Amino acid sequence: MKVFKINDYITKYSFGNLIETDTVVLKPLGELKENIKYFEFKKSTEFTYKMLEDDVVYGLGENMRGLNKRGWIYESFCTDEFSHGPNKKSLYASHNFLLIYGEKTFGVFIDYPGRVTFDVGFKSKDILNIKIEDENFDLYIIEGKSLEIIAKNFRRLIGKSYAPPKWAFGYQQSRWSYENEDVIRNVFNNFKDRDIPLDCICLDIDYMEKFKDFTISRERFLKFEKLVKDLKSEGVRLIPIIDAGVKIEEGYDLYEEGIKNNFFCLDENNKPFVAAVWPGKVHFPDFLNGEARKWFGSKYKFLIDKGIEGFWNDMNEPAIFYSEKRLKDAFETIKKGEDKNLDIYTFFDIRDTFPRLSNSLEDYKSFYHNLDGKLIRHDKVHNLYGYNMTKSAYEGFLDIDKNKRFLLFTRASHIGMHRYGGIWTGDNTSSFENLEVNIKMMANLNLCGFIYSGADTGGFGENVTDDLILRWFAFSMFTPLFRNHSSIGTRVQEPYSFEEEIEKALTNIIKLRYSLIHYIYSEFMKAIKNDELYFKPLTFEYKDKFLNSVEDQLLVGESIMVTPVYKQNQNGRYIYLPEEMLLWNVSEPKEFNYKILQKGHHYIDVKLNEVPIFLRKNKILVLGNPSKNIDLLQYEELNILAFLEDKAEYILYNDDGITKAYEKEEFSKLNIIIINENEEYKIKVNKSGKCLTKKLNFTIINKNEEKKLYIIYI
Ligand code: GLC
C-alpha cells in the first residue's frame, strides 16, 4: 500500500496498480508514511469499519432501500435491472462513495472499475465490510468538519458536475411507442391545446431504422428535420435515444467503420464480440479505447445537424439480452426436458434457464477492451462502459460546439461520469414502493455528484394508477430532470390521458414547477458551481438526533423542504420539523394559503391534488409566473415569499442557460436581504450581471402568520 496526500482533507491509499479510470481530477501532493485511517484490514482486498449504533451511512447513489444504507448488501456492478425490488443489490450504476455520519464522520471512495461489495451491517449489524474484486484499486478517505464540507471535498476530488441547458429543467414527455411523426405531433398538440407547459419530447428507439444508432426511419419519420424545426419554433425540443450496441448489418456505415478500424470489443478469438440487444445481433463499441470513443462521439453530429440538441444514452451497462453461447447452453438444458424421468431440480433448472440468458457474468467475462494496446477483460472494467459512452457523446459535443450546453442523460454510470452528463434511474415500476425509493435515492445521487437526475415519473413498467401519477408528479416536480416516461404496453400516462380532474391537477403541478423554475435553476447552478448538494438530507443543516431516521423529507436547495406522500390511500402523512416552518400546501399555484407549524411532530393533510412545500425560517423563495416553456419564461416581475423572524438573505442566480459562459463567471445575481425591525421590514436588493428583473412583489410572513406586502422596482 502507498499513501498519498491529496490535500489537507483527502488521503489516497493505493493498492496494486489501478488502471487509469478518469474518476478523480485532483492529483497527489506527495507521499505519506501512515497507516490506513478508520478501517481494519481483513485481506488485501477486504476491510471493515466498526459502526456505532447511531451511525448513519449515506451514499452509494443509485441503489435500493433507504437514504441510510445500513442493513443491506450492495454490489457495484452496473446491471440492466428492470425489477427494482428491495432485495436487489445493484441497479444501473456503481457509485462507490459512502459518507459515514456519527461520532466519527468521514467519507470513503473506492476507485475501482470492477465489482465492489458493500455489506453495510447485513451479515453483522455493526460492521461495514467493503470487498474489492481484485488487488488493483485506490481507496480515498475524505474528511472535513461537517457532512456538507466532506461532501464538498469529495466533489472537489471528482470534479464539477455537468450542467444541461436551462430548457432541460422544463417538463419532458416520453414514452416508448411514440412510433411516428403523427404521434409526436399529436402529443405536442395535446399539450398545446390544453395549455400544459412542455419543453421536451423524448424519442425512444421507435424513431430509428431497425433500431440502428444514428439512423432515422424515413418510413415513419419522413420529414424528421421539419418535425424538429416545427416543434422547436414552439419551444419544444426532441430528445432521441442512442443505444450502446451497433447492429451487425453489412452496408450500415457505423458497423462497417467499426469493423474496419477495430473499434469493437473483441471476443476470446479476437473477433468482434456478438451480443443481442434491441437491433438483434450487435457489436459493442470499445468506449474505453480513446479512438473508438472519439469515433462514436463524432456520430452524434448526424442528429445535431438535423437540429437536435439533446440525447439520452441507453443500454450501456452494457445490457445483453443473450449471446449465442448462452442461447446454445440454454437449448442444451431444455433438451434435458425430453428425459422421461426428469427430476424436479433439473426441471427447475430448465424453468429458470431463459431469465439467466440475459446479462450473464460469463458473457461479461468473455470479451475484451483495448486499453492502450493492452487487452483487458470486460468484467474487470465493467463499470466504466456506460461512463465512457457518455464521455464519448460529451467529447463529440465539444468538437461540434465547445461553448454549447447539450442535454445528455444516461442509464449506466460510475463516479466521475457526472462531469459529462446526467442520469435517469432506469426502468422502475409504477408502484408506490418505487416512488419511495426514488425519494430516498435523490440525496445519495447528489452526494455522488449526479445533480442532474430524476426517475421515470409515474413508473416505466406496469400500469400507473391515478393516485400514483399525482403523488409522483408532486415529487418529481422538484427533481432537476422531470420526465414522464413509460413502457410500451402499459397504461398511457401523459397528463391528458387521464380524466379531467386528474389532468387538471397534473397540469397544475407542472405549472407549479414552472413557477419555481427560477428557484430550482438558481439552486441547481449554485450547487454545481459551489460543489454543493441540491437535494440534502435534513442532517446536513440541523443537528437533531431524531433526524438521523428521517428519510422521506428532503431539503431542496437552501430555502425549502419537501415531504412527499408515497403511500396509497393516504390523505396526508406524519412529518417532523426540526424548527418552525411555513407550510404552503399548493393546489393552485396562484393561491397562497399558508400556516406556520411549530418544531416537532405533526400530521399534515395532503390531498391528491396538493403539493406540500415547507419554507424554512429566515429563508426566501422566489416564484415567477408559469410559462408554456422555458424559452418563454419571463424575468421582469418576480414574487418573493419570505418567512421571517429576523433576517433573510437570498441570491437568485441566473445565466444565459445555453452556453458555458457561466464557467467564466458570466451570470447574473439578484441579491435580496430582508431585515425585521419591529415588524417593519427593511428590504435591500442589489443586482449584478445581466439581471432582467424590474419588479419584485414581496410577501413577508412572520411567526404570528401576519402577512405584509411590498412592491419594489429595481
Ligand atoms: C430500456 C430503457 C427504457 C426504454 C427501452 C426501449 O428499457 O431503460 O427507458 O424505453 O429500453 O428503448
Side-chain angles (χ1 to χ4, degrees):
M1 173 182 83
K2 281 188 159 184
V3 187
F4 300 96
K5 177 179 165 147
I6 301 287
N7 57 32
D8 287 345
Y9 305 104
I10 306 173
T11 316
K12 167 177 172 177
Y13 302 86
S14 261
F15 299 81
N17 279 314
L18 177 67
I19 59 154
E20 182 48 65
T21 56
D22 186 42
T23 51
V24 303
V25 296
L26 296 181
K27 298 283 167 257
L29 295 175
E31 212 173 324
L32 297 171
K33 290 267 161 282
E34 62 179 52
N35 277 328
I36 191 156
K37 281 185 196 161
Y38 305 110
F39 288 97
E40 193 183 305
F41 273 90
K42 293 285 149 202
K43 286 191 211 134
S44 58
T45 54
E46 183 176 351
F47 43 97
T48 58
Y49 174 71
K50 171 112 179 60
M51 299 181 287
L52 296 177
E53 199 174 328
D54 290 337
D55 285 354
V56 178
V57 180
Y58 295 118
L60 296 181
E62 186 181 284
N63 254 302
M64 295 306 296
R65 303 226 168 195
L67 174 59
N68 182 355
K69 306 318 286 184
R70 283 185 79 152
W72 191 240
I73 294 198
Y74 306 87
E75 270 175 12
S76 282
F77 199 74
C78 301
T79 309
D80 172 20
E81 179 55 78
F82 63 90
S83 150
H84 300 185
N87 294 335
K88 291 291 143 84
K89 295 181 186 154
S90 322
L91 295 177
Y92 311 82
S94 55
H95 297 160
N96 301 340
F97 173 62
L98 289 176
L99 176 46
I100 291 121
Y101 171 50
E103 241 174 67
K104 289 179 191 151
T105 297
F106 64 95
V108 55
F109 164 51
I110 311 294
D111 191 1
Y112 176 70
R115 189 186 304 264
V116 184
T117 309
F118 297 87
D119 177 335
V120 195
F122 171 71
K123 278 200 197 113
S124 174
K125 191 166 102 0
D126 300 326
I127 302 295
L128 163 65
N129 180 300
I130 305 181
K131 227 189 255 175
I132 295 108
E133 212 169 58
D134 78 31
E135 53 284 341
N136 300 308
F137 62 94
D138 291 342
L139 181 153
Y140 291 83
I141 298 285
I142 301 106
E143 297 178 299
K145 64 175 190 305
S146 65
L147 283 169
E148 188 120 45
I149 289 179
I150 298 171
K152 209 181 233 243
N153 287 337
F154 178 55
R155 287 266 288 295
R156 288 196 175 128
L157 176 69
I158 59 174
K160 295 264 175 245
S161 294
Y162 152 86
K166 192 169 187 178
W167 50 260
F169 292 81
Y171 175 78
Q172 304 187 21
Q173 185 59 56
S174 183
R175 179 168 168 88
W176 172 17
S177 74
Y178 291 159
E179 60 186 16
N180 61 38
E181 230 162 78
D182 292 346
V183 176
I184 298 287
R185 282 188 192 272
N186 192 36
V187 171
F188 166 72
N189 287 332
N190 268 305
F191 276 86
K192 188 175 176 188
D193 296 349
R194 293 152 196 259
D195 197 24
I196 311 174
L198 175 72
D199 265 271
C200 303
I201 302 177
C202 295
L203 297 177
D204 208 316
I205 47 174
D206 320 271
Y207 81 90
M208 300 178 190
E209 186 203 312
K210 293 192 263 173
F211 306 145
K212 291 187 292 187
D213 280 337
F214 310 114
T215 67
I216 290 161
S217 160
R218 290 298 178 182
E219 208 178 292
R220 284 173 288 115
F221 288 83
L222 180 63
K223 295 187 176 149
F224 184 85
E225 293 80 349
K226 185 166 179 342
L227 180 69
V228 175
K229 197 166 159 219
D230 289 354
L231 263 52
K232 208 191 285 182
S233 71
E234 304 262 9
V236 173
R237 268 100 176 162
L238 291 179
I239 312 297
I241 195 170
I242 301 293
D243 280 351
V246 171
K247 186 172 176 65
I248 302 175
E249 185 184 271
E250 271 178 40
Y252 168 36
D253 54 353
L254 208 62
Y255 163 77
E256 298 285 359
E257 286 170 27
I259 292 286
K260 190 168 136 225
N261 297 298
N262 269 325
F263 285 156
F264 294 127
C265 294
L266 297 174
D267 67 14
E268 284 129 343
N269 303 317
N270 248 343
K271 298 252 162 51
F273 175 74
V274 181
V277 206
W278 296 124
K281 303 257 170 75
V282 301
H283 293 320
F284 290 133
D286 186 356
F287 291 113
L288 277 71
N289 165 341
E291 276 175 54
R293 191 166 64 235
K294 196 165 173 39
W295 161 73
F296 194 90
S298 71
K299 298 295 170 187
Y300 287 80
K301 191 168 183 302
F302 170 77
L303 288 155
I304 291 172
D305 284 347
K306 297 181 169 34
I308 295 297
E309 296 175 89
F311 297 87
W312 46 311
N313 278 350
D314 192 21
M315 309 304 278
N316 48 2
E317 293 69 33
I320 299 179
F321 289 167
Y322 70 86
S323 69
E324 274 164 351
K325 181 140 194 325
R326 290 288 84 64
L327 203 57
K328 193 164 159 271
D329 291 351
F331 285 126
E332 269 164 27
T333 310
I334 305 273
K335 271 208 148 150
K336 291 186 204 153
E338 288 166 9
D339 181 352
K340 290 212 173 52
N341 299 316
L342 183 70
D343 72 87
I344 210 66
Y345 295 105
T346 315
F347 162 74
F348 285 156
D349 195 26
I350 293 170
R351 187 194 61 182
D352 299 338
T353 286
F354 282 103
R356 277 202 306 264
L357 275 178
S358 301
N359 309 316
S360 135
L361 183 60
E362 282 159 88
D363 283 335
Y364 290 132
K365 283 184 173 173
S366 69
F367 65 94
Y368 294 80
H369 297 272
N370 180 346
L371 229 78
D372 302 323
K374 213 172 127 197
L375 286 187
I376 302 216
R377 206 174 71 190
H378 173 78
D379 60 308
K380 302 273 178 199
V381 288
H382 175 73
N383 294 332
L384 287 177
Y385 192 77
Y387 179 119
N388 278 292
M389 180 182 180
T390 301
K391 188 174 176 185
S392 139
Y394 169 87
E395 289 172 342
F397 302 160
L398 281 184
D399 285 343
I400 292 168
D401 186 344
K402 64 176 184 323
N403 197 29
K404 184 175 164 120
R405 280 148 76 173
F406 287 88
L407 171 58
L408 178 61
F409 56 94
T410 175
R411 200 170 70 173
S413 65
H414 184 62
I415 294 274
M417 200 209 77
H418 69 298
R419 301 196 297 276
Y420 309 120
I423 56 172
W424 95 97
T425 57
D427 298 350
N428 58 8
T429 299
S430 295
S431 72
F432 278 88
E433 290 74 14
N434 272 200
L435 166 58
E436 179 176 349
V437 166
N438 178 203
I439 296 163
K440 294 182 174 173
M441 202 188 276
M442 291 315 293
N444 283 330
L445 284 175
N446 273 237
L447 271 175
C448 295
F450 294 94
I451 317 284
Y452 189 74
S453 52
D456 284 354
T457 301
F460 175 75
E462 306 298 337
N463 297 322
V464 75
T465 54
D466 292 358
D467 50 359
L468 179 61
I469 192 85
L470 284 165
R471 294 305 194 197
W472 214 319
F473 263 58
F475 178 64
S476 284
M477 63 148 284
F478 297 101
T479 62
L481 168 62
F482 178 17
R483 184 177 77 139
N484 174 346
H485 179 54
S486 54
S487 174
I488 190 169
T490 60
R491 180 184 180 186
V492 283
Q493 57 189 43
E494 298 81 10
Y496 54 77
S497 315
F498 297 88
E499 282 174 1
E500 212 180 310
E501 191 194 347
I502 312 291
E503 179 192 321
K504 182 166 185 285
L506 293 171
T507 306
N508 277 346
I509 298 176
I510 299 177
K511 286 189 173 162
L512 180 61
R513 159 75 166 211
Y514 280 75
S515 311
L516 279 172
I517 286 281
H518 297 284
Y519 173 78
I520 290 174
Y521 187 68
S522 168
E523 290 306 299
F524 177 92
M525 290 305 293
K526 285 191 284 186
I528 281 189
K529 288 190 69 66
N530 307 329
D531 295 322
E532 286 164 354
L533 307 190
Y534 167 87
F535 274 115
K536 264 185 282 195
L538 273 77
T539 46
F540 274 56
E541 293 283 327
Y542 300 96
K543 297 296 151 244
D544 175 337
K545 241 185 168 181
F546 187 78
L547 293 176
N548 287 11
S549 55
V550 174
E551 305 222 317
D552 54 2
Q553 303 177 193
L554 290 170
L555 296 172
V556 179
E558 65 175 63
S559 305
I560 61 175
M561 177 183 78
V562 296
T563 59
V565 175
Y566 53 87
K567 299 244 190 264
Q568 192 156 32
N569 301 323
Q570 304 278 302
N571 300 318
R573 56 163 288 179
Y574 287 96
I575 55 147
Y576 175 73
L577 298 186
E579 64 171 346
E580 65 186 331
M581 291 192 194
L582 178 147
L583 167 61
W584 177 25
N585 210 358
V586 199
S587 53
E588 284 290 339
K590 285 199 181 119
E591 284 169 20
F592 178 47
N593 304 315
Y594 60 90
K595 63 177 171 201
I596 311 281
L597 298 184
Q598 299 306 308
K599 173 179 161 66
H601 296 273
H602 299 269
Y603 181 87
I604 57 165
D605 294 323
V606 186
K607 296 199 199 83
L608 276 176
N609 64 344
E610 288 174 334
V611 181
I613 300 178
F614 282 90
L615 179 57
R616 296 169 66 196
K617 194 161 66 185
N618 289 327
K619 298 286 179 198
I620 290 173
L621 182 61
V622 178
L623 292 144
N625 288 319
S627 57
K628 276 180 185 249
N629 55 55
I630 300 286
D631 289 351
L632 296 177
L633 204 64
Q634 68 93 354
Y635 297 86
E636 280 73 26
E637 183 176 349
L638 298 176
N639 301 321
I640 309 296
L641 191 60
F643 173 35
L644 208 79
E645 189 169 80
D646 33 62
K647 183 179 174 193
E649 184 167 358
Y650 186 75
I651 296 172
L652 182 71
Y653 168 102
N654 193 25
D655 58 28
D656 67 18
I658 48 172
T659 74
K660 294 182 186 162
Y662 73 93
E663 288 175 355
K664 295 184 220 119
E665 306 302 304
E666 280 174 37
F667 48 81
S668 74
K669 273 188 192 172
L670 181 66
N671 197 348
I672 303 165
I673 300 175
I674 313 174
I675 301 167
N676 183 357
E677 289 178 351
N678 302 321
E679 306 308 320
E680 280 307 319
Y681 299 106
K682 221 166 112 191
I683 299 174
K684 288 191 217 159
V685 182
N686 278 313
K687 47 183 193 175
S688 64
K690 279 193 203 133
C691 177
L692 302 169
T693 306
K694 299 204 173 80
K695 185 181 173 198
L696 296 172
N697 305 315
F698 283 82
T699 305
I700 304 173
I701 291 143
N702 69 11
K703 47 199 296 187
N704 303 322
E705 299 194 355
E706 289 157 356
K707 177 159 91 178
K708 291 219 166 155
L709 306 176
Y710 300 81
I711 295 178
I712 292 192
Y713 292 90
I714 46 173

